[in-house]
Amino acid sequence: MEGAATRTVITSTSSSTDNFSTSTLAYDRHFFRTASGLLVFAEIVFGLLVWMLIAGTEYFRVSAFGWVMFVAILYWVLTVIFLIIYLTMAYNRIPQVPWTTVGLFFNSSATVMYVVAAAVDAASISHAVKGRHNYNCWVASTFFAFLVSLCYAGSTYLSFKSWRSRDEEQ
């Protein structure tokens, strides 16, 4: 007589929503009340003024303004992206990214690139006739380029403080 064989059957069910997250991104209402938030807002406004003032002229006649436009638009777009990340607090949802280090490198590179762009902007003004539309816009863009450089320098300082305090905690 043969022994009764037992067989174990394991069943499992899965649904397509197991890997689907229904949570929403948070919104940081108080971000613009912080020093970092005010600096990011100023960087966006002044950066926009830099490239709009140049874009409204015949900047293509002076090749150096192409560099200024590149720097201004690149860092303006990246700053808007960072603003969205900060406002939605998406940095909490991606903890693998060292956000303090990313912020420090971004702000320090923006500071250096904007100082160079502002110096190029200032040096290129001599190609315009004083009192004309191009001249006035280029002088104003130079002023705002140096102003946005100061804003990025302030953001670099705050990012450094944040990076350093996080480094000391670990």
Side-chain angles (χ1 to χ4, degrees), residues 36 86 100-101 103-105 107-108 154-164:
S36 294
Y86 292 142
T100 54
T101 305
L104 178 61
F105 281 116
N107 288 318
S108 59
S155 290
T156 301
Y157 173 74
L158 294 176
S159 295
F160 178 75
K161 282 179 48 177
S162 175
W163 174 78
R164 190 170 176 189

Side-chain angles (χ1 to χ4, degrees), residues 70-151:
F70 169 75
V71 170
I73 292 172
L74 173 71
Y75 281 103
W76 186 82
V77 168
L78 292 175
T79 304
V80 168
I81 291 170
F82 272 108
L83 174 65
I84 292 167
I85 289 171
Y86 292 142
L87 283 178
T88 60
M89 297 187 338
Y91 54 87
N92 289 331
R93 306 212 6 114
I94 313 170
Q96 300 86 356
V97 176
W99 289 107
T100 54
T101 305
V102 169
L104 178 61
F105 281 116
F106 171 74
N107 288 318
S108 59
S109 71
T111 301
V112 170
M113 296 293 274
Y114 249 111
V115 166
V116 171
V120 167
D121 200 359
S124 300
I125 292 175
S126 64
H127 294 287
V129 177
K130 191 172 187 176
R132 295 277 186 124
H133 173 72
N134 285 353
Y135 179 83
N136 294 334
C137 289
W138 292 347
V139 168
S141 73
T142 301
F143 171 77
F144 287 115
F146 279 111
L147 200 56
V148 77
S149 297
L150 289 174
C151 292

Side-chain angles (χ1 to χ4, degrees), residues 24-51:
T24 59
L25 292 174
Y27 172 68
D28 188 0
R29 296 181 273 170
H30 304 290
F31 177 71
F32 286 119
R33 293 181 185 166
T34 65
S36 294
L38 292 173
L39 284 171
V40 168
F41 180 75
E43 291 160 3
I44 289 172
V45 170
F46 297 146
L48 179 68
L49 285 170
V50 170
W51 67 264

